[in-house]
Each structure stands twice: as C-alpha cells, then as structure tokens.
Amino acid sequence: MNCSTISEAAAALRGGEVTSVALTQAALAAADAHDELLGVFLRRFDETALEAAARADAELAAGVDRGPLHGIPLGVKDILATVEAPATAQSLVLDPAWSKQIADAPVVARLRAAGAVIVGKTTTFEFAIGFPDPDKPFPIPRNPWDPARTPGGSSAGTGAGVPMGMFLGGLGTDTGGSVRMPAAFCGITGLKATFGRVPKSGCAPLAYTLDGIGPMARSARDCALMLAVMAGADPTDPYSSARPVDDYLGGLTGDLSGLRIGVDTASWAGGDVDPSWPDLLSGALAVLSECGATVVDVVLPLYAELVTAQSVTMAAESAAYHLPDLPGRWPDYGVGARAYFGGGLTLGATDYVQAQRVRRVGQKAMAELFAQCDLVINPASTMPAFVIADTDPVRPFATLRGLHTQYWNSVGNPSMSVPIGFSAEGMPFGMQISGRPFDEASVLRAGDAYQTRTDWHLRRPSAAALSGANLPRHAAPPVRRQDVPLADARLAAVRHLLTGARVNPDEAEMRAIAEGFDQLRPAVGALYDIPAVRYEDPALGFSALL
C-alpha cells in the first residue's frame, strides 16, 4: 500500500493493510534510490529502525497502541541529540560529548515513547545557519523538485526527504524560518509552534530566545499528530511553557465558519515577487473563503523593524555561543557559518537590548492586531527555491530574496507554511498561516481545511526531474567574492572588533563581514527611532526562579 501521509499510514496499520516493517523498508528503499543525489541523510539507522518497526508491529498485534505515531518512520534533523549517534549540527566543531551525555533530546524521547521509528539524522545548514561548504565532509542537500536548487534551510534534509518518501514526517528547527522555508521550497507542510510550546533542550542552539523545534510532514493533520506528542513543558528547558496542550486533532473539522482571517500584502508587494505568486495567493484565499472564513485586509505592524530585531537577536546570540570556538577553530567552521558568526561580533550590546525592546513593542502591537482577526496570511516566500550555483556561501542572504518568515520568530507566534501551488518553472510555493500565541489549534484547523479542498501537499516530484540530474553529492559552487566599495573607516572598525575578539578572517572574508555590517547598520539605527520603544522593557527570558 502506498501511504503518503502519517494519517493514511496510521489507519492502514490499524486496518492490517500494511506493517511498520513494510513502511520502514519502503522509506529506506527511497533513501537507497535518491539520497546519493539529494543529500537528505547524514546518518541512517537502518538496523535499529527495522528493529523498532518490528517491535511496533508486535505491540500493535498484541493490542498495545501507543497512538497514531506508533510504527511511523520519522527523520530527525542532525542538530538534535539522539541515542543512536552523536549530533554534528553538520559541523566539525560540535563536540560529540555534548549530545552523548543527553542521549535523546526530550522531543525525540517523546516521539520514541509514542512508538515512532527513527530512521536517521537529516542534513542541516551548519549550526542551522551556514550554507553548506563543499570543502567540508558533509552532503550538500538538494531540492527534489529540481536538484540544481536548494531545498531551503536550515532543515534541509527533512524538507527534501518527506516528499521523496524517505520518512513520513520529521523534525526541523526554526529560528528565522528554518522549518517554514524548506517546507515552502519542497512543497510540504511545516509548523513553527509558539516559542516555548515545544521544549528545545537537546538541540544545539542558534539563538536562545528564537529557537523552536517543529514538525514537518505532508499535511497539517500530520503536523497536528506530531505536535500533540511534542508539545508541553520539560524541566530541562526553562523557556518551555506549562500551558495545557490543546486537542489539535479534535479541531480539524474542515469548517472555518466564524474565523476572521487577515491577509497582509503591504510587507511584500514592493519586493522580489515571482510572477506566479499573486495568482496562487488569490486562489488560496478563495479556498479559505469557501471553507467559511471571512477574509479581510490587514497590515502587519512594524514589519521591517521586527525583521531587523530578529536579525540582530539571531546574530548576537549565535555569536555569543560560538565565540569560545571561533578564535581557535575558525578554519573548522564552514565559510558561510564563520562569516555569519563573525558578523554577529560586530553588533553592540546596546543594539541587542534595543532589539529586545522592539520585540516587546511588537508583541503588544500583535495583540492589538489579533483583536481584529483570528489568523493572518502572508507568504513564506514570494520567490521559489534559488539555484545553488548562484549562491556565494560568504553572502548567502544575498541570494535569499523574498523570504517572509523572520517576522513571526521575532514576536514568537505560531506560524505554519502550507503548499499553495507551483511557479511556471514547476517549483513549489507556500503561504504562512499564523495565529495568536499558543493557538496552534486554529492555525492547524485552517491549514487542514484548506488541504481538504486542495492536493498541492500530496504532489510528488517527477522521476524525470531526478533521473535527468547528474549532480555529485558533495558539489557546491565556488565562493564568489565580489567586493563592493567599502569605506576604509568602516572596514577598519570591523577589523578592530574582530581582532579584539581574537578572530582573524582572511581579507576577503573580512570584507564580506564588513559589507554585511555596512548594510545592516541603517536598519539597526532605525530601531532607536520607534517612539513606543522609548520606555519599554526588553523581552528577555530571565527569571529569579530556576
């Protein structure tokens, strides 16, 4: 039986139409056929996965049912600790002892206790940010709809593996869009839950106040099944919330009557927009209306400022985490990761605190917006997945045009990307459905209702696209070091900051870091010009209680 979703497979398992061993064997066969090209896995756990599948079959036959994930093959992003093998974060730098002492991250342990079959660890951008470096001994993940393109990051392997059937669902992490970008680029569904909804301990950090672990699968219903197991407080994560976990599955009625859905176009209308995007969005909104929702126009408050606040927060927090390793292990990092972390060292403490104050103001403005509507729709990206050969690993964000995910990390609200169609070139697009804090139930309800009337999430990449590709597993473009005019004083200031931190990039990387600093400064300066921030406290996570 061909089961493409977790929901279908769970029903087939209980109906005796398929076994967990058969599902797992099919997943491993798909990996045998396509992983050499697509670079989905860093480590496969074939033997232990088949053993776990056999146990699941025996338990189900004996009447022991652990829930809808029992016997379901899943992938885990290799930034999370698992008992089978140390996490690498796709880096030579991460100490294997860190994840060995953890064994399973809490979220992995919860999935395993629910009977899930962990088939392997999936590829990521280095430490969830650095574009894959061909000089390092790791796979280069590729998009199954066009292997010349990226699957998106940083949860690249999970995003690419689901549509290829290498697992029915998987874990990603999301700090600025790393679940929702690959979900959109690969034509699947991916949910960033409310910050604190899912414990993030056992995950190598990128940014402490932004990181989240989220489900990735074909459908919103599958994401609901996974989130029901993943959500809830854990004592190892002080940021995790003790709020009760909703009945996500029970709310999936297919009916959106009574829901008021706001649509933001102001944030993207003047930017990089693929010609296919406006019509795809219009079609998706029409479907939501058919489901009973009332669709209204809204404007996301402080859009540019909150995106900048996310950028500052992510860069500063990641630089703080990596600073102990950067001076002595600079060459061990990939070129993209080390350039990014070096850029974080150029930010001041005042910039970081100001960003947290802007985030607090943004949360208040968001509460006012959600007094007018229940959900908000905006793009995951208005541009399709970019061509890998067009990317400069030192300046990867120059290629990443049209992305609109960072905003929701800045305020912490739940946000899910669902597929809504394809570009003229045959590349997937996704729209984001975002809701009030801890209202994942409404987000999932809307996504599921949309998917009961569409089949974009069930489409599969063509065999022709894969068979016609001849791209080596470890190939990537050379670094394009196109220097731009840069004031000597600005370069000198950045050099001073980096050498003061005992970090000494080569001249080309120094210029790339300084260039990024130069481009970001005006946006950072604008954070100080928001009147509402003047007397606002920062959004920090400190508590007097441990």
Side-chain angles (χ1 to χ4, degrees):
M1 180 178 180
N2 183 19
C3 299
S4 61
T5 69
I6 294 173
S7 303
E8 289 174 351
L13 279 168
R14 285 150 186 82
E17 302 168 71
V18 73
T19 64
S20 178
V21 167
L23 289 173
T24 304
Q25 287 173 334
L28 298 177
D32 288 340
H34 301 295
D35 189 39
E36 185 65 25
L37 170 66
L38 297 177
V40 167
F41 284 104
L42 275 168
R43 290 285 297 272
R44 284 172 55 178
F45 306 144
D46 295 27
E47 183 177 346
T48 57
L50 289 168
E51 290 171 356
R55 284 196 300 273
D57 286 333
E59 288 178 344
L60 288 168
V64 178
D65 192 333
R66 299 176 184 269
L69 298 184
H70 201 174
I72 301 297
L74 301 178
V76 175
K77 183 178 180 179
D78 192 40
I79 200 166
L80 290 155
T82 60
V83 69
E84 290 91 346
T88 70
Q90 197 145 340
S91 179
L92 299 173
V93 176
L94 185 62
D95 185 352
W98 168 77
S99 59
K100 285 182 178 178
Q101 68 182 358
I102 296 170
D104 275 343
V107 68
V108 175
R110 290 176 181 182
L111 293 174
R112 208 186 294 275
V117 175
I118 309 300
V119 297
K121 302 294 283 295
T122 60
T123 48
T124 172
F125 287 10
E126 185 174 8
F127 282 107
I129 193 66
F131 196 80
D133 187 333
D135 293 333
K136 300 295 185 266
F138 301 108
I140 304 296
R142 296 181 178 278
N143 194 306
W145 296 92
D146 178 357
R149 298 176 184 259
T150 181
S154 63
S155 307
T158 306
V162 168
M164 293 308 301
M166 298 186 197
F167 30 81
L168 293 178
L171 294 182
T173 63
D174 196 311
T175 308
S178 290
V179 162
R180 290 159 292 150
M181 187 211 309
F185 284 0
C186 294
I188 64 170
T189 306
L191 172 66
K192 180 201 86 67
T194 306
F195 182 77
R197 178 72 289 180
V198 175
K200 59 186 177 63
S201 43
C203 176
L206 175 56
Y208 304 102
T209 66
L210 297 168
D211 290 343
I213 302 168
M216 302 173 70
R218 281 198 173 272
S219 70
R221 182 171 291 267
D222 288 356
C223 288
L225 293 173
M226 292 181 66
L227 184 64
V229 172
M230 297 162 59
D234 188 273
T236 61
D237 179 8
Y239 288 101
S240 63
S241 173
R243 289 176 64 113
V245 176
D246 291 336
D247 177 11
Y248 303 123
L249 197 63
L252 307 185
T253 63
D255 181 17
L256 300 184
S257 298
L259 278 185
R260 190 173 175 88
I261 299 180
V263 180
D264 170 78
T265 58
S267 62
W268 57 265
D272 294 303
V273 180
D274 184 270
S276 305
W277 169 256
D279 288 342
L280 293 176
L281 178 62
S282 295
L285 296 177
V287 173
L288 293 174
S289 295
E290 292 170 10
C291 296
T294 300
V295 177
V296 298
D297 291 330
V298 298
V299 175
L300 289 173
L302 297 171
Y303 187 84
E305 293 86 352
L306 284 164
V307 170
T308 299
Q310 187 279 338
S311 298
V312 169
T313 302
M314 185 167 70
E317 291 183 1
S318 63
Y321 173 79
H322 287 281
L323 184 55
D325 287 321
L326 285 173
R329 304 197 64 182
W330 185 265
D332 291 335
Y333 285 95
V335 63
R338 68 192 187 222
Y340 182 81
F341 301 140
L345 297 175
T346 68
L347 292 164
T350 52
D351 297 334
Y352 177 77
V353 173
Q354 188 70 1
Q356 308 322 302
R357 298 172 76 199
V358 171
R359 291 175 71 188
R360 182 69 77 202
V361 169
Q363 288 178 316
K364 293 180 178 180
M366 191 57 58
E368 294 177 3
L369 175 65
F370 278 110
Q372 306 169 34
C373 59
D374 300 295
L375 297 168
V376 172
I377 301 292
N378 75 318
S381 176
T382 52
M383 296 291 289
F386 55 86
V387 175
I388 295 173
D390 292 341
T391 306
D392 177 352
V394 178
R395 303 174 177 87
F397 294 105
T399 314
L400 194 56
R401 299 178 296 121
L403 187 67
H404 291 275
T405 54
Q406 295 168 272
Y407 182 89
W408 297 106
N409 297 89
S410 201
V411 292
N413 294 48
S415 183
M416 180 172 68
S417 178
V418 298
I420 63 169
F422 294 83
S423 71
E425 297 173 311
M427 297 306 297
F429 275 105
M431 71 176 176
Q432 290 183 108
I433 306 171
S434 305
R436 298 181 181 94
F438 297 98
D439 191 14
E440 286 82 5
S442 293
V443 172
L444 290 161
R445 175 186 167 192
D448 176 70
Y450 174 77
Q451 290 176 340
T452 61
R453 292 164 173 80
T454 61
D455 68 352
W456 300 117
H457 61 294
L458 300 176
R459 303 288 180 95
R460 292 178 177 271
S462 71
L466 294 166
S467 63
N470 185 24
L471 301 168
R473 180 173 168 87
H474 290 274
V479 177
R480 300 166 188 258
R481 290 174 173 167
Q482 300 170 344
D483 294 334
V484 299
L486 196 64
D488 290 341
R490 187 74 77 194
L491 182 59
V494 170
R495 192 188 310 278
H496 174 74
L497 289 168
L498 295 184
T499 55
R502 298 180 293 115
V503 173
N504 296 289
D506 66 26
E507 189 62 22
E509 290 178 7
M510 183 73 79
R511 290 190 65 87
I513 293 169
E515 177 188 318
F517 175 87
D518 218 29
Q519 293 170 349
L520 186 60
R521 281 318 304 176
V524 174
L527 299 184
Y528 295 88
D529 296 332
I530 305 171
V533 177
R534 181 65 183 87
Y535 298 105
E536 188 60 69
D537 287 342
L540 296 173
F542 176 79
S543 171
L545 296 175
L546 291 176

